[in-house]
Amino acid sequence: MAAEQMADAGGDPGQVPPARPLDSIDRDILRILQTDGRASVRAVAERVHVSRANAYARINRLVEDGVIRGFSARVNHERAGQGASAYITLKIVQNSWRTVREQLQALPGATHIALVSGDFDVLLLVHSPDNRALRELVLTRIQAIPEVLSTRTLLVFEETDLGPRPDRPAELS
């Protein structure tokens, strides 16, 4: 199970395979890997009480099915030199989502992009070294995208990571 294959899991967002039902072992595996993406297959197998081969096959299936999109580290952005964070809402030209998404993905510090309903069309989470860099990002990079009609910036004063916790119920949150 190569790391490169797992990092690319999920493939083309336009081609989503039909969802397969997850059993309790699959959900336990997901919970373990969400808590510790570096857990070995052997450790996962022991914790869910299946053979190493079974755990390996299940993890591979979850990756191939796009349930697991990849493995990553949860980063403390402030400690990593990204002390300013903001949610930026964008109103965009109708039917320009794919074009805008491509341009937003290329922005430094962009960590989450969502097409949403409501008073705005896109919600973007960015992390930057400081407010000056954040200002530059919004005023010169984002507002320069022709399909962006307007933006609103919501500064993040404090964040709490609600990653997987052992006290959560058995269902995936």
Side-chain angles (χ1 to χ4, degrees):
M1 186 166 46
E4 298 83 31
Q5 288 174 320
M6 288 185 222
D8 293 336
D12 179 19
Q15 293 182 324
V16 179
R20 283 194 207 171
L22 301 179
D23 64 17
S24 63
I25 294 172
D26 290 332
R27 288 191 297 274
D28 288 345
I29 289 171
L30 290 173
R31 197 170 8 275
I32 291 166
L33 292 175
Q34 284 178 306
T35 303
D36 180 7
R38 295 175 60 179
S40 69
V41 173
R42 187 184 64 128
V44 170
E46 288 173 2
R47 289 182 58 191
V48 299
H49 309 292
V50 298
S51 71
R52 185 188 172 286
N54 187 327
Y56 183 85
R58 283 174 177 268
I59 293 169
N60 272 341
R61 181 180 49 81
L62 292 167
V63 170
E64 289 169 6
D65 287 351
V67 174
I68 295 176
R69 297 182 299 172
F71 297 88
S72 63
R74 293 194 329 251
V75 176
N76 179 325
H77 295 283
E78 193 169 359
R79 301 262 314 150
Q82 301 290 305
S85 298
Y87 286 96
I88 303 167
T89 66
L90 294 83
K91 288 187 181 181
I92 62 174
V93 172
Q94 190 171 3
N95 297 323
S96 66
W97 162 240
R98 288 173 184 80
T99 303
V100 171
R101 179 181 57 200
E102 287 176 18
Q103 294 176 72
L104 295 176
Q105 287 173 329
L107 294 175
T111 59
H112 185 84
I113 304 166
L115 178 65
V116 297
S117 64
D119 293 336
F120 48 88
D121 304 306
V122 177
L123 183 63
L124 170 68
L125 174 60
V126 297
H127 302 283
S128 65
D130 53 35
N131 283 343
R132 183 180 305 267
L134 179 60
R135 177 184 180 277
E136 186 70 18
L137 181 72
V138 173
L139 297 180
T140 64
R141 300 283 301 269
I142 296 173
Q143 290 183 354
I145 298 172
E147 298 85 359
V148 172
L149 302 174
S150 67
T151 64
R152 177 173 287 166
T153 303
L154 307 164
L155 290 177
V156 174
F157 295 129
E158 186 175 317
E159 291 181 88
T160 302
D161 185 2
L162 298 178
R165 298 185 321 234
D167 61 336
R168 288 207 175 156
E171 292 77 34
L172 288 175
S173 341

